[in-house]
Amino acid sequence: MPSRTTLAATTAALIALAAPMAFAAPVPKPAAAQAAAWDTDRAAAAHAADPGSVTASGSENDASGPGAVADGDGTTRWSSNFADDAWIRVDLGSVIRVSSVTLDWEAAYGKKYVLEVSKNGTDWTTFYTEDDGTGGSVTAHTYPQEVTGRYVRMRGIQRATSWGYSLYSFKVYGGEPAPASTTRSNLALNHPAYGDFYQHAGNSPAFVTDGGWPADLKADQSRWSSDWNANRWVGVDLGATSTIDSVDLYWEAAYAVDYRIQVSDDNRTWRTVYQPSASEVAARRADVKSPGDAVGRHDTVRLPTPATGRYVRMLGVERRSFYNPAPATAQFGYSLYEFQVWGTGGSANAAYPALPKDPGGAYTTTFFDDFTGSGLDRDKWRVVRTGTEMNPVNGESQAYVDSADNTRTENGALVLQSKYCKGCTQTPAGTFDFTSGRIDTNTKFDFTYGKVSARMKLPVGDGFWPAFWMLGSDVDNPDVSWPGSGETDIMENIGYGDWTSSALHGPGYSADGNIGKQQTYANGGRADQWHTYGVEWTPEGMTFTVDDRVVQTTSRSKLESTRGKWVFDHNQYVILNLALGGAYPAGWNKVTSPYWGLPQSSVDRVAQGGVKAVIDWVRVEQKK
């Protein structure tokens, strides 16, 4: 998580500029949370004002009471009564928009628990669910959920040990949303912020309205950071139609050379109200430094004419260049500490929309192929070719070609088979020694949500890499690309007989940093036997299975709270392929020759014609 340190001068400036107003509490409390700085631990502040503000279902003894989680001493701890349903809660003293919660666990941590918020201490809303806790320090960011309340609670579900739950600290961060104002003020403070693609959960759009920035405009703290694309934006919901006269942008070193300030009434249709002049753009473009020497800038944008709108955003047009190293240059994403919107109007009632829920209902089959026809059904499947539909990826050694030697139906099943002939295969992407098969449903059957499954038998041997997976249908859009498109790996195997893996890839959780699990076959099963691999994909998360046994569960709320943007809310398509060597196998078998991730013994197997993946059927079921 970004460092939560700042200079006193920055805090004082924030209070003077923003003067956020606290909501009225249901019961009068000491005013500990009034006008709190952006990096204030609101739980600690509440405890300092009233030690009785932290309560729990019970404690192991008097020396480990609930107040220890907010006393500012990292060596003291709360230890609960020995019950799975034990809980601890903090009364913050006033309603705030909660931006994050950090739990620092002792060895007796929660295996399963939820974080909840309430405005009255009675009615609770869950905003974070942990179903496979490992202890340590856990920071749950709330973006993009609406989490406002006076009380925050950790409610246990399952302990990891026979002892109670034990927490060193329970930290809560956030602030009071700027209220409606008839006098000029920063209407954006602690309001909902939006954007498209960002780097990870610790750099979400929410940070641009939290009131914090470092005095040197260089430190890595409290900032939005986009992915590496010029066409990115970040904006704020003021809560009601407002009259805006100026905007302050506190940039980190990766500022926009050129950008637009736009307003909207509905967060969809935008009107440009400001853009830098050509001379300003040229001056910003000329400021090229190494990343270590570069600092940010503060842009005060005074609109030529006051603008009206509820939503305001910064739309990036051109990113700053950095020496990497000189004279070569590189561009990264945009990085913005704070987005202030000055004017009159607004409303503290601005709220993030509710996240979509599983609609319920019964599943029906919407796609099925059991490969019993005389050949591959090309109304359902696209045959992918290296150098045409795709370029080489992941350091793999094969070329995908459209040939019955590599992709065919046989005995009521699909066969993907690899072949070897040194230097024999010419493609637009180069010359290859291996060929193999890859098919997908791109443009044939693209869909959102459902159960996806296939019955498969896999080859076993170092570097053989069959996969059953999905890609976002917008992966070829240069404004999206991978991993912004999302990738769902239902099954991957890299030649080991006893296990496979599943994974999700997206912004902030891709490649080796994916959200994945390995599974070992039950009852001594092996990859070269028939198994059914599947995923249930809903608006709320993904559940992966092998032979109907759950092997990975990933919820949207946990993913966005701890890793990055959920990018699985749009169409994906199904892919089946058999790769040879490459990054994933090489990471395990450490083979570098004769091919990366593919040893000579496996090359010999391919040359003998015995390496193939067999697929009995593929099915997609959806709720209609």
Side-chain angles (χ1 to χ4, degrees):
M1 178 164 182
S3 169
R4 291 190 174 273
T5 59
T6 189
L7 299 180
T10 302
T11 303
L14 274 173
I15 295 172
L17 288 171
M21 181 181 295
F23 285 83
V27 180
K29 300 279 286 186
Q34 297 279 328
W38 65 279
D39 56 350
T40 297
D41 175 1
R42 303 299 293 262
H47 178 264
D50 176 9
S53 63
V54 186
T55 55
S57 57
S59 301
E60 181 181 359
N61 53 56
D62 291 341
S64 57
V69 302
D71 64 3
D73 185 343
T75 64
T76 61
R77 62 187 177 92
W78 166 67
S79 182
S80 79
N81 51 308
F82 294 5
D84 281 330
D85 62 354
W87 54 264
I88 185 169
R89 80 173 192 181
V90 180
D91 178 357
L92 302 175
S94 64
V95 174
I96 70 168
R97 168 162 285 114
V98 177
S99 60
S100 67
V101 172
T102 296
L103 302 178
D104 292 318
W105 290 101
E106 193 254 0
Y109 60 88
K111 182 70 173 178
K112 296 182 179 180
Y113 58 90
V114 295
L115 294 177
E116 300 172 311
V117 67
S118 173
K119 291 183 178 179
N120 57 18
T122 301
D123 303 307
W124 296 92
T125 300
T126 298
F127 62 89
Y128 177 82
T129 300
E130 177 58 76
D131 53 22
D132 191 19
T134 57
S137 182
V138 177
T139 294
H141 301 279
T142 63
Y143 180 84
Q145 300 178 78
E146 178 61 18
V147 182
T148 53
R150 169 174 167 170
Y151 304 86
V152 181
R153 178 172 75 175
M154 188 288 295
R155 178 170 57 84
I157 297 173
Q158 180 184 337
R159 293 165 291 158
T161 71
S162 59
W163 303 92
Y165 300 99
S166 184
L167 277 171
Y168 288 116
S169 62
F170 185 157
K171 302 172 184 175
V172 179
Y173 297 97
E176 290 80 3
S181 180
T182 57
T183 60
R184 185 177 182 272
S185 61
N186 175 20
L187 304 174
L189 186 64
N190 293 314
H191 273 236
Y194 300 92
D196 38 21
F197 295 98
Y198 52 95
Q199 289 190 10
H200 55 76
N203 291 136
S204 79
F207 287 94
V208 303
T209 61
D210 69 357
W213 65 90
D216 63 0
L217 298 182
K218 187 172 183 178
D220 182 13
Q221 60 188 46
S222 181
R223 64 186 179 95
W224 163 73
S225 183
S226 77
D227 67 349
W228 295 9
N229 192 299
N231 185 27
R232 293 292 180 254
W233 63 272
V234 65
V236 59
D237 177 5
L238 303 179
T241 299
S242 306
T243 300
I244 304 147
D245 60 52
S246 68
V247 170
D248 278 277
L249 302 174
Y250 290 84
W251 295 98
E252 192 253 5
Y255 57 73
V257 166
D258 192 9
Y259 61 93
R260 306 289 182 266
I261 298 297
Q262 298 180 321
V263 298
S264 173
D265 301 318
D266 57 9
N267 210 19
R268 293 186 299 273
T269 303
W270 296 91
R271 306 180 296 276
T272 296
V273 295
Y274 171 82
Q275 67 183 76
S277 67
S279 61
E280 290 171 329
V281 170
R284 295 163 77 98
R285 186 182 294 130
D287 187 14
V288 181
K289 291 182 172 65
S290 67
D293 295 332
V295 296
R297 60 183 298 135
H298 172 199
D299 291 341
T300 295
V301 175
R302 303 191 186 282
L303 303 185
T305 303
T308 59
R310 171 172 172 169
Y311 302 88
V312 186
R313 76 173 182 177
M314 185 288 302
L315 172 64
V317 175
E318 180 183 340
R319 294 167 290 162
R320 184 186 189 183
S321 293
F322 296 86
Y323 288 126
N324 193 43
T329 61
Q331 293 177 321
F332 308 109
Y334 301 107
S335 184
L336 186 66
Y337 291 117
E338 192 72 8
F339 190 157
Q340 296 180 337
V341 180
W342 294 87
T344 57
S347 169
N349 294 325
Y352 289 102
L355 297 182
K357 298 291 186 181
D358 186 346
Y363 281 105
T364 59
T365 298
T366 53
F367 178 94
F368 182 74
D369 197 344
D370 59 4
F371 306 106
T372 55
S374 58
L376 183 70
D377 186 345
R378 295 185 182 238
D379 288 335
K380 295 179 177 178
W381 299 99
R382 177 183 73 157
V383 178
V384 176
R385 299 163 294 171
T386 297
T388 304
E389 285 78 21
M390 66 172 290
N391 289 317
V393 294
N394 303 320
E396 299 163 14
S397 294
Q398 82 291 332
Y400 293 118
V401 298
D402 187 353
S403 169
D405 289 339
N406 306 102
T407 306
R408 63 183 180 275
T409 57
E410 184 176 276
N411 300 321
L414 170 69
V415 175
L416 302 177
Q417 186 165 0
S418 57
K419 296 285 187 177
Y420 173 76
C421 180
K422 189 169 183 63
C424 295
T425 303
Q426 304 289 328
T427 77
T431 301
F432 293 82
D433 298 340
F434 300 91
T435 57
S436 195
R438 171 169 166 158
I439 63 173
D440 64 39
T441 65
N442 186 18
T443 72
K444 311 286 186 179
F445 183 76
D446 299 73
F447 64 100
T448 303
Y449 307 133
K451 284 185 176 180
V452 189
S453 56
R455 185 170 184 257
M456 306 176 68
K457 186 163 59 174
L458 312 175
V460 173
D462 277 348
F464 304 151
W465 188 4
F468 170 40
W469 53 302
M470 298 187 289
L471 266 179
S473 299
D474 53 359
V475 67
D476 295 323
N477 180 342
D479 284 337
V480 179
S481 66
W482 187 91
S485 61
E487 175 182 326
T488 305
D489 297 330
I490 305 170
M491 183 288 301
E492 290 185 282
N493 180 276
I494 52 174
Y496 295 93
D498 59 345
W499 64 269
T500 61
S501 61
S502 51
L504 293 173
H505 301 256
Y509 50 99
S510 61
D512 289 344
N514 67 67
I515 300 172
K517 288 280 189 178
Q518 291 181 18
Q519 70 84 28
T520 300
Y521 293 105
N523 303 317
R526 286 179 54 83
D528 52 5
Q529 299 170 332
W530 287 110
H531 295 282
T532 299
Y533 306 92
V535 66
E536 182 175 17
W537 168 30
T538 76
E540 298 179 64
M542 300 264 198
T543 301
F544 297 83
T545 58
V546 176
D547 298 328
D548 295 324
R549 176 174 55 92
V550 174
V551 297
Q552 177 180 343
T553 300
T554 301
S555 68
R556 173 176 181 168
S557 66
K558 181 178 177 180
L559 185 153
E560 291 198 298
S561 292
T562 60
R563 299 299 298 274
K565 180 181 175 67
W566 174 264
V567 289
F568 305 98
D569 54 0
H570 63 283
N571 277 353
Q572 296 191 89
Y573 59 88
V574 176
I575 307 170
L576 293 160
N577 68 276
L578 173 57
L580 300 174
Y584 190 11
W588 280 80
N589 61 34
K590 309 303 180 184
V591 170
T592 58
S593 67
Y595 301 90
W596 194 35
L598 193 68
Q600 187 61 52
S601 59
S602 294
V603 174
D604 295 341
R605 287 268 308 279
V606 177
Q608 294 163 9
V611 177
K612 58 186 179 182
V614 185
I615 298 91
D616 186 15
W617 49 259
V618 177
R619 176 182 288 114
V620 177
E621 303 166 84
Q622 294 180 275
K623 295 177 179 179
K624 296 295 186 182

